[in-house]
Each structure stands twice: as structure tokens, then as C-alpha cells.
């Protein structure tokens, strides 16, 4: 069997068209949705992600401002900036690109973001809302994965999803959302550490594999049940002399081998990545709408 390729770029483009319509509607009501992005340091991957988010905002008509700050910024300096964005009426959503430099405590920064401007959905209050089934903002990558599966018509009720990677950004929130969701439409969930010694035994039981481990080639063909759906959240830069940039981007799945076994699979690039951007923008529009309703 050769797997169906799930085209994240196409699905994300559909969502961005919907977001653009919502932005138009808000503008007619005198509200210009705004997103502030904070990028600390010069990590090339983070720079690319923030540039992609900025470009997508422009495309859908969302006001955007990017605060690019040197890696030597103090924690207090960064907190001052977040406080000013919390107060800024033009800004409805705030995203602080992670990771932050080691001298800054990431969790302290996340907790400074006003929960109703937390477009990333990383604040403990929003994580708590998600955990009790009353979500305000679902983190963008997990909601991108769920939206992509829904729009591809992939039924999850009664299925078994195995999630590899227990990060606060991907693994935990997607497991939380599915645990909390309607059992007719959400799978049962197993969550594994990427170094789980019985990982292959776990993945072979999966109807759906979601891998967010940051390890190129972690998921091999022999780890996948024939016909399973494989969602690759990994974005890894691997050296490549043939490529003018000196590297290429690969996921956590051995795509060439696994596509011969799986029923459906996301490519990297062009799978989950564009979905994350689209869902962040959708969260920003929701934030703008909610803040306007409160005003
Ligand atoms: N770093 C990796 N993924 C993300 C994300 O979704 N949001 C932010 N803010 N940082 C990230």
C-alpha cells in the first residue's frame, strides 16, 4: 500500500482564506486583529518560523509587529516588554517564540502573557481550560493536527492514537484534548517518551501515530501497522551538501519507507508546519473577537 499524502499546505491555505474572511468581518466592525511576536536571539529555525507567521498575518490582513531582541536580554527586560504588549490595545494576541535562551526561565515568561492574549495557548490557565474541556485557546500545533485529520475525513472514534513526545507544546496538549473530547470522535490515547524502550511495540498498536520527538528517522516502516495514519510533527535540520543552504528539513519519520506501509501520512516540509501557522492566526482572530466583546 502507498499512503495518501496529507497536504498541509493546501489545508492551511483553506483555513487562511477563512481567517481572511473573518478578519474582513471584524474590520467592518472597526476591529483590526493584531498579533505581536517576540523573538529572542538569532536561532535560524526560530527566525524562519517567526518570518512565516509574520508573512501569513500580512496575507490575511492581521496587523503584526515583531519584536526581535538580542539573546543577552535580561529576564526582567523581557517581562517588561510582555507587560507593555499586554497593555497595548492594538495587540490581541502575543506569541513568544520558544525556545528562549537558557538564562531565561521559559515558564516565567509564558505566565506573564495575559491569558486572553495567549494566542499560543501555553499559559497554565489555558492549559487548565483545555484539560477540563473548556478550552479558550488550543496550542496551534495540536489544533493543527486535529483540524487536519478532521478536514481529511479521518475518523478517530474508537481508534488508538500513540503520541511520541511529551512536550508542553505538542504531546501533552494533543493527548489532553483527545482525552477530554467526545469518545465518538476522539481516539484513546497512549503517550510515550521518545526514549521509551518499548516504543516500537507501542507504535505497532497504533491506528494513528503522532510523533513530535525531534529525532530524524525515529519512526521506521517496521514500527507502523499497515494502513495507520502517520502525523509527523518533527522539524529537523540535517546537514546536506547538495542543498544550497547546506541543510535540508526532515521530520521524525522515515518518510520514503513508511509511506509504503501507512494509509495516510504527512510530509515534512508541507505537513503540520503550515497548519501551526494557520491555527495561530485563527487563535488571534478569536482573541480579537473575544476582547472586542469584553470592551
Ligand atoms: N517553538 C516551537 N513551536 C512553537 C510554537 O508553536 N509556538 C511558539 N511560541 N514557539 C514554538
Amino acid at each position: 500500500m502507498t499512503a495518501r499524502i496529507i497536504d498541509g499546505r493546501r489545508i492551511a491555505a483553506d483555513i487562511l482564506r477563512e481567517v481572511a474572511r473573518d478578519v474582513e468581518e471584524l474590520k467592518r466592525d472597526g476591529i483590526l486583529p493584531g498579533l505581536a511576536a517576540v523573538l529572542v536571539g538569532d536561532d535560524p529555525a526560530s527566525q524562519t518560523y517567526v518570518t512565516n507567521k509574520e508573512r501569513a498575518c500580512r496575507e490575511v490582513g492581521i496587523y503584526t509587529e515583531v519584536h526581535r531582541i538580542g539573546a543577552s536580554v535580561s529576564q526582567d527586560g523581557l517581562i517588561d516588554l510582555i507587560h507593555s504588549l499586554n497593555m497595548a490595545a492594538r495587540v490581541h494576541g502575543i506569541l513568544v517564540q520558544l525556545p528562549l535562551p537558557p538564562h531565561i526561565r521559559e515558564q516565567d515568561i509564558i505566565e506573564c502573557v495575559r491569558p486572553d492574549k495567549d494566542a499560543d495557548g501555553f499559559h497554565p490557565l489555558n492549559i487548565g481550560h483545555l484539560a477540563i474541556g473548556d478550552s479558550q485557546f488550543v496550542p496551534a500545533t495540536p489544533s493543527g493536527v486535529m483540524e487536519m485529520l478532521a478536514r481529511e475525513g479521518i475518523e478517530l472514534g474508537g481508534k488508538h492514537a500513540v503520541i511520541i513526545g511529551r512536550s508542553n507544546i505538542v504531546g501533552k496538549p494533543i493527548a489532553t484534548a483527545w482525552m477530554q473530547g467526545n469518545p465518538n470522535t476522539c481516539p484513546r490515547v497512549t503517550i510515550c517518551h521518545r526514549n521509551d524502550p518499548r516504543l516500537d511495540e507501542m507504535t505497532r498498536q497504533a491506528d494513528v501515530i503522532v510523533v513530535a520527538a525531534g529525532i530524524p528517522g525515529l519512526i521506521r516502516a517496521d514500527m507502523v501497522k499497515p494502513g495507520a495514519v502517520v502525523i509527523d510533527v518533527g522539524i529537523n535540520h540535517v546537514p546536506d551538501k547538495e542543498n544550497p543552504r547546506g541543510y535540508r528539513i526532515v521530520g521524525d519519520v522515515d518518510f520514503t519507507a513508511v509511506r509504503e506501509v501507512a494509509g495516510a501520512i504527512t510530509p515534512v516540509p508541507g505537513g503540520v508546519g503550515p497548519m501551526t501557522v494557520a491555527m495561530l492566526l485563527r487563535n488571534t482572530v478569536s482573541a480579537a473577537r473575544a476582547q472586542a466583546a469584553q470592551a
Side-chain angles (χ1 to χ4, degrees):
M1 175 192 285
T2 301
R4 164 159 60 117
I5 310 288
I6 303 177
D7 183 351
R9 287 200 184 104
R10 177 186 53 77
I11 304 170
D14 289 346
I15 295 169
L16 288 176
R17 271 191 292 277
E18 294 162 17
V19 171
R21 278 200 294 272
D22 290 346
V23 170
E24 274 310 308
E25 204 178 290
L26 281 167
K27 282 185 185 164
R28 278 197 292 274
D29 293 337
I31 303 151
L32 173 63
L35 177 71
V38 179
L39 174 61
V40 182
D42 50 14
D43 175 61
S46 291
Q47 283 176 349
T48 305
Y49 301 149
V50 169
T51 303
N52 290 346
K53 291 168 186 177
E54 191 182 10
R55 187 184 309 129
C57 279
R58 289 221 190 86
E59 276 167 21
V60 300
I62 291 177
Y63 163 76
T64 178
E65 55 187 49
V66 179
H67 298 261
R68 293 185 168 83
I69 303 169
S72 61
V73 67
S74 67
Q75 171 146 334
D76 286 347
L78 188 53
I79 288 174
D80 285 347
L81 170 63
I82 308 284
H83 283 316
S84 72
L85 297 173
N86 282 343
M87 304 281 286
R90 66 187 182 282
V91 170
H92 303 97
I94 301 170
L95 100 99
V96 182
Q97 188 66 31
L98 304 178
L100 292 172
H103 66 280
I104 295 177
R105 213 180 147 263
E106 238 162 55
Q107 199 55 34
D108 288 351
I109 302 302
I110 288 169
E111 290 181 27
C112 277
V113 174
R114 224 173 83 176
D116 64 337
K117 291 194 175 187
D118 175 31
D120 259 329
F122 293 164
H123 191 285
L125 195 73
N126 286 318
I127 297 288
H129 277 296
L130 179 65
I132 60 173
D134 173 33
S135 57
Q136 321 271 316
F137 297 110
V138 180
T141 302
S143 70
V145 169
M146 292 187 287
E147 189 73 26
M148 169 181 244
L149 290 166
R151 289 186 187 228
E152 283 291 293
I154 294 171
E155 309 264 337
L156 298 174
K159 301 276 176 63
H160 181 194
V162 172
I163 299 164
I164 301 119
R166 309 183 308 175
S167 71
N168 291 339
I169 295 181
V170 185
K172 275 190 245 175
I174 196 164
T176 305
W178 274 338
M179 279 192 307
Q180 188 54 50
N182 181 336
N184 296 320
T185 55
C186 293
R188 88 182 67 85
V189 173
T190 298
I191 181 159
C192 301
H193 190 274
R194 61 187 183 173
N195 296 329
D196 188 318
R198 290 166 62 192
L199 193 57
D200 49 355
E201 201 182 307
M202 295 295 142
T203 56
R204 275 196 284 271
Q205 296 175 38
D207 302 304
V208 180
I209 296 174
V210 179
V211 58
I215 304 177
L218 179 69
I219 304 300
R220 307 178 310 266
D222 65 289
M223 297 166 75
V224 177
K225 180 163 81 174
V229 175
V230 180
I231 306 293
D232 191 350
V233 186
I235 301 180
N236 306 296
H237 293 68
V238 297
D240 182 355
K241 288 200 207 88
E242 314 268 290
N243 193 304
R245 285 182 299 190
Y247 68 88
R248 75 198 142 89
I249 292 176
V250 299
D252 292 345
V253 174
D254 177 353
F255 182 82
T256 311
V258 171
R259 72 179 292 192
E260 299 304 324
V261 182
I265 188 168
T266 59
V268 177
V272 176
M275 294 297 296
T276 299
V277 177
M279 301 315 278
L280 173 76
L281 270 48
R282 201 159 91 170
N283 279 351
T284 303
V285 168
S286 304
R289 205 180 276 124
Q291 284 160 46
Q294 290 290 317

